[in-house]
Amino acid sequence: MTGIGGELGAQAARSRALAVLRVRGRALAVALLPAAAEVILLTGGSTGHLVGPGWDTARWVVGVVAVVVLLAAAGIALVVARARPAMTPTVPVSEESAPDLYRLVRDLADRLDVPAPSAIALTPDCDSWLEDRTHPAHGPPARPAPDEPAEPGPATGPGAHRRPAPAPVLVIGSPFLWWMRVGELRAVLAPVVAGTGPSAHPDIAAARRFVRGLDATVAVASTPGRCVLTRGVCAVLGWVARLLLRGCREHAVLMERGVAAAAAERAQAVDYGLRIVAQEQVGLAYAGWDRLLTRVALPAWRMGRWPSRLDAGVVAALTELSRRDRLAEGFASRLGERPACDLLEEPGAIDEATSLLAARLFHGGPAECGPDWAPVDWQAYPEEVVDRTWRADAARLHRVLDSLGVRPAPGAPAPGSDGPTLARVLDHLTEPGHWEQGDQPVPAVAQGVLPRPEDEVRPHPDGLTPEEPADATPREAAEGSPREAVADSPREPVSASPREPAAQTRPEATAPHAEAPADQAGPAAPGRTDAPLPDAAAEAPHPDTAAAASPADAAAEAPHPDAAADDAPHPDADDEYADPSTERSAALAAGLSAELAREEIAAPRGATASGLIPDSALWDDGSLPLFPLQPPRGARELLADHVTAMVCCAAVDTAGAAPGLDWLDGPSLVLGGERAADLAPKVLSLIEEGDPRPLRDWLAASGIRPEKPVRLV
């Protein structure tokens, strides 16, 4: 290796590599120990020193053990040598598609006096590294460049045409190519390319192959779905591989640190001043890339669309950040220089391939385009993603309201127009105590929340409901959840009203606030009389939210009418998302969560191996997404998103608003030529407090009519 003797980091890396190889040598010595003992016993018997029945038995026993150990060692060594190491999914960049980029990397390697990387690949991440892909499972090694000299070997013999092992592949983060300038990219890649020097040392290369082989062996041994005999063999194989990994773990870590130190030391002489500025761009690109994925790309992926120009979107997002943030305003002045993506012959095609790979890694989308997984351009993003997302969420919100038995808002729509309205959502989520003076509050009976007076279940003289047998005990009367009272009871359920058939009380159509027997309001006691229930006490949770509770728990958690005036906690008060919400919003949020979960289960994701790109055909589809962007949304967050979507649909259909795209915040509502940025706190006030006044005032000031029907998907 050129120049490694004078670098302290390289010397430390080589010494640690030798320590890793010594672990391999000790393992080989342990495997050969029974065979060596057998050789000693056979030699002693042939020379007449170790004779007798005992020595003959020892020779047979040790011989059998030696054969078994040698066979096991040979099998383990074969698995370690042939196991497929993990390979990062990337987009390969051939020299024909990026000759200028290859020329820049080779010139950089010449300046650093190190071997040039064998190939270049792109990854949808803000990082760069060297990756060894010399294993046969990774495909044929890349051919060296025509101007690369061959390693001098013996003049004659089998080594006359021997060439050095292929250099590692240079993996570059795709956002760097679009955001950085050519000089900045060269400065960022200098320490990475310098790592090919230590990587070419035979001891370091052998130690790395040994560690990667052990790691791949552990993965092979952990593969599920094997038979009983194979599982036993894999258990022994995995135990041996983990034991060897523990023995060389510390040495391998220190070896990699030494290689990195040697590469950084060698790269100090290349564009040192520009490297400081380039490192600032690395942090800025990482922030913009993360914001673009979570705020802009993720909503599109959830809708079955994947933005085909994510890297170009990074430039727009960071330019917008430079416009808003005075600390970053100096970064926009450098946009006049040549961008690094000009080093590619077809940057649009490579950007599209990288964007599809990002959707697979971070969301788990399919590998091929289809009707439910199509690319979308930035110009079509507001219509194809933002508007469709709003209307799909609004449609889901009204489906859940229908399942809860919530009736449309009365009197608002014109005759003959029974379409979904925003007023229905506002009236349902409004708490009775927040009606403004002069407003005509919609009775809870008209909303389907409370029973009509003629439908109320009157108390039995003996303290039992008309449904209960006379011999029912207080405990039997107290047990039973709302779901069991309707679906699991052998008796016929009470009809909702004389004008409504009893079939409407089945579990699919039962309103969560429909009438309930007297034993559901609290711990039943014979002789107790029931008073008219206040609104807060009459609202029971949605059946889906109470399905996990036992009948006794459901009866114990139901509020007593006498205590309804107090601020009694919600039955789901332990849930972090239900605590600040009202009773109605909690039930609606639970229904939305269940509906969204059913949709995700019904829509399969992933792809078959035939649809993978060539460079990623070796990684497992079953573990997608490999790097999920964020955990699933909570119930309260889902409800806020759906109510906001309904407001945006009403604004588009009744006030001439338009869907828009904000590069830093994602989907946005453009109202009167400006982005509506003050909608979220008003929606939260409605959800958490049941107070519609801030949102109604905003709707009135914006000219949005909540009583008008909106168009849904």
Side-chain angles (χ1 to χ4, degrees):
M1 179 173 40
T2 305
I4 193 174
E7 300 175 358
L8 296 179
Q11 291 178 353
R14 183 175 181 272
S15 64
R16 293 297 177 175
L18 293 176
V20 172
L21 297 179
R22 282 195 293 269
V23 173
R24 185 184 65 177
R26 295 191 191 101
L28 180 60
V30 171
L32 294 177
L33 187 59
E38 178 64 14
V39 171
I40 294 175
L41 291 176
L42 291 176
T43 303
S46 62
T47 57
H49 291 83
L50 304 177
V51 294
W55 291 108
D56 294 338
T57 304
R59 273 188 285 271
W60 277 104
V61 172
V62 175
V64 172
V65 172
V67 171
V68 172
V69 171
L70 286 178
L71 290 177
I76 293 174
L78 183 63
V79 173
V80 172
R82 297 186 61 86
R84 185 181 62 194
M87 186 179 69
T88 307
T90 56
V91 176
V93 179
S94 62
E95 188 170 359
E96 292 77 10
S97 61
D100 293 340
L101 180 60
Y102 273 82
R103 190 177 302 110
L104 181 146
V105 172
R106 289 200 182 100
D107 293 343
L108 187 58
D110 292 339
R111 293 179 60 183
L112 296 171
D113 195 18
V114 295
S118 59
I120 298 176
L122 298 183
T123 179
D125 197 3
C126 294
D127 198 1
S128 298
W129 65 88
L130 293 172
E131 187 165 288
D132 188 1
R133 298 181 179 179
T134 58
H135 195 274
H138 294 160
R143 292 180 297 178
D147 55 348
E148 183 179 348
E151 182 186 16
T156 58
H161 301 284
R162 183 176 56 189
R163 305 189 62 86
V169 175
L170 175 62
V171 181
I172 306 175
S174 61
F176 293 164
L177 286 176
W178 269 260
W179 175 244
M180 291 186 174
R181 310 298 100 179
V182 174
E184 295 171 350
L185 180 66
R186 182 174 58 247
V188 168
L189 294 181
V192 183
V193 175
T196 59
S199 300
H201 193 277
D203 294 336
I204 296 177
R208 283 178 167 175
R209 284 195 302 268
F210 178 62
V211 174
R212 284 197 304 270
L214 292 177
D215 183 71
T217 302
V218 172
V220 170
S222 303
T223 303
R226 301 183 183 274
C227 62
V228 178
L229 180 60
T230 309
R231 282 200 299 267
V233 175
C234 288
V236 176
L237 180 65
W239 177 81
V240 174
R242 292 185 182 92
L243 182 64
L244 294 176
L245 277 176
R246 284 194 296 268
C248 61
R249 178 185 303 165
E250 182 178 358
H251 300 298
V253 171
L254 295 177
M255 177 186 68
E256 297 299 338
R257 289 180 182 175
V259 170
E265 181 182 356
R266 186 185 290 268
Q268 284 183 355
V270 178
D271 298 334
Y272 180 75
L274 191 57
R275 284 174 56 193
I276 299 176
V277 179
Q279 290 301 324
E280 297 178 354
Q281 301 304 319
V282 170
L284 190 64
Y286 183 87
W289 179 251
D290 180 74
R291 193 86 175 228
L292 183 75
L293 292 182
T294 56
R295 302 294 181 90
V296 179
L298 188 58
W301 294 338
R302 287 172 175 164
M303 281 299 300
R305 297 290 185 267
W306 53 278
S308 58
R309 297 293 186 270
L310 280 180
D311 294 308
V314 172
V315 181
L318 293 177
T319 304
E320 179 67 17
L321 178 63
S322 303
R323 187 183 65 84
R324 296 184 187 181
D325 190 355
R326 62 182 182 85
L327 297 178
E329 60 185 5
F331 296 142
S333 60
R334 41 181 288 284
L335 297 180
E337 304 176 10
R338 184 190 182 192
C341 62
D342 283 354
L343 301 174
L344 306 174
E345 291 293 321
E346 297 181 359
I350 294 181
D351 191 2
E352 184 173 353
T354 308
S355 301
L356 181 58
L357 180 59
R360 304 207 63 208
L361 294 179
F362 301 120
H363 186 67
E368 296 177 343
C369 298
D372 298 329
W373 188 247
V376 60
D377 198 62
W378 291 125
Q379 287 76 14
Y381 185 93
E383 284 294 330
E384 292 291 329
V385 176
V386 180
D387 189 72
R388 289 187 58 197
T389 300
W390 288 345
R391 300 191 185 277
D393 289 349
R396 187 183 300 111
L397 178 62
H398 282 277
R399 286 198 304 269
V400 175
L401 289 175
D402 293 338
S403 67
L404 296 179
V406 179
R407 293 178 176 85
S417 61
D418 55 352
T421 63
L422 176 60
R424 181 192 189 191
V425 180
L426 295 176
D427 294 343
H428 176 68
L429 294 178
T430 298
E431 287 294 292
H434 288 290
W435 290 103
E436 296 182 4
Q437 282 188 345
D439 284 350
Q440 298 264 341
V442 180
V445 170
Q447 299 183 42
V449 175
L450 289 181
R452 296 177 175 84
E454 63 270 17
D455 301 333
E456 291 184 2
V457 181
R458 300 301 179 184
H460 195 272
D462 297 331
L464 300 175
T465 62
E467 292 182 333
E468 298 173 358
D471 56 350
T473 62
R475 177 177 179 83
E476 293 173 350
E479 293 179 350
S481 62
R483 182 183 292 272
E484 291 185 350
V486 177
D488 299 335
S489 175
R491 297 178 295 274
E492 190 69 17
V494 180
S495 175
S497 70
R499 295 177 298 276
E500 297 178 2
Q504 293 183 0
T505 59
R506 65 182 186 274
E508 297 84 1
T510 302
H513 310 298
E515 60 273 21
D519 58 354
Q520 183 183 330
R528 179 175 61 85
T529 58
D530 291 345
L533 298 179
D535 291 344
E539 294 168 1
H542 187 261
D544 292 339
T545 62
S550 63
D553 295 338
E557 291 176 354
H560 192 277
D562 298 336
D566 300 333
D567 294 331
H570 188 266
D572 296 331
D574 293 336
D575 184 62
E576 59 178 332
Y577 295 105
D579 188 23
S581 303
T582 64
E583 192 84 13
R584 299 182 182 184
S585 63
L588 185 56
L592 287 172
S593 300
E595 178 71 14
L596 191 61
R598 286 190 291 266
E599 292 179 4
E600 291 180 353
I601 293 175
R605 297 191 311 185
T608 59
S610 61
L612 296 176
I613 58 179
D615 200 15
S616 63
L618 301 176
W619 48 285
D620 185 15
D621 273 346
S623 58
L624 291 174
L626 297 180
F627 312 103
L629 292 180
Q630 60 186 22
R633 293 174 290 178
R636 185 162 57 95
E637 183 182 359
L638 277 176
L639 179 58
D641 292 344
H642 284 72
V643 174
T644 303
M646 188 63 200
V647 173
C648 294
C649 290
V652 172
D653 292 347
T654 65
L661 169 61
D662 187 273
W663 291 109
L664 299 178
D665 295 329
S668 61
L669 177 66
V670 180
L671 190 61
E674 297 181 358
R675 174 172 171 256
D678 55 347
L679 180 58
K682 299 172 177 58
V683 172
L684 290 179
S685 177
L686 174 66
I687 293 174
E688 297 178 356
E689 303 174 6
D691 185 5
R693 287 172 293 186
L695 183 56
R696 286 186 180 274
D697 294 342
W698 184 85
L699 294 175
S702 303
I704 302 173
R705 302 182 62 183
E707 73 278 2
K708 301 289 289 185
V710 299
R711 178 177 57 88
L712 303 179
V713 293

